[in-house]
Amino acid sequence: MFWYGHDVSGWGWFAMSAGMVVFWALIITVGVLLFRAVNRPDEHIRTPAAPQTPEQVLAERFARGEIDDEEYRRRLNVLRTGPLTKP
């Protein structure tokens, strides 16, 4: 098989070994990237959020500190009892 001095030198063995490592690294990288692309949730499709009730919006404003305790309770009372109308 290796007659007449056509054998692979030390650099040839190194090149084959390095080539094999690079080849398998590329195969594994492509496999991982393909797996991640197929299994990730679709980021572009968004389901619309359920509409918030007025009480939830008021509670969020109170939690953020936009309104104080007195105003929160007053507005919550108005929401639950209905608007005050003058006869």
Side-chain angles (χ1 to χ4, degrees):
M1 180 181 230
F2 294 111
W3 297 286
Y4 306 112
H6 294 288
D7 59 342
V8 179
S9 66
W11 288 109
W13 287 108
F14 174 75
M16 283 193 301
S17 300
M20 186 59 70
V21 169
V22 169
F23 172 77
W24 284 111
L26 285 174
I27 295 294
I28 291 170
T29 302
V30 167
V32 168
L33 290 176
L34 219 94
F35 179 76
R36 291 174 75 189
V38 169
N39 287 331
R40 97 174 138 193
D42 196 7
E43 298 170 354
H44 301 291
I45 298 176
R46 296 187 61 169
T47 57
Q52 292 182 328
T53 64
E55 290 180 4
Q56 289 174 334
V57 173
L58 187 63
E60 285 181 7
R61 289 187 63 199
F62 178 64
R64 286 192 299 260
E66 294 177 9
I67 57 176
D68 61 354
D69 185 38
E70 180 182 333
E71 186 174 356
Y72 171 74
R73 292 188 191 282
R74 183 176 51 83
R75 289 182 181 213
L76 188 60
N77 188 24
V78 169
L79 282 174
R80 289 184 176 161
T81 60
L84 298 175
T85 58
K86 295 182 181 179

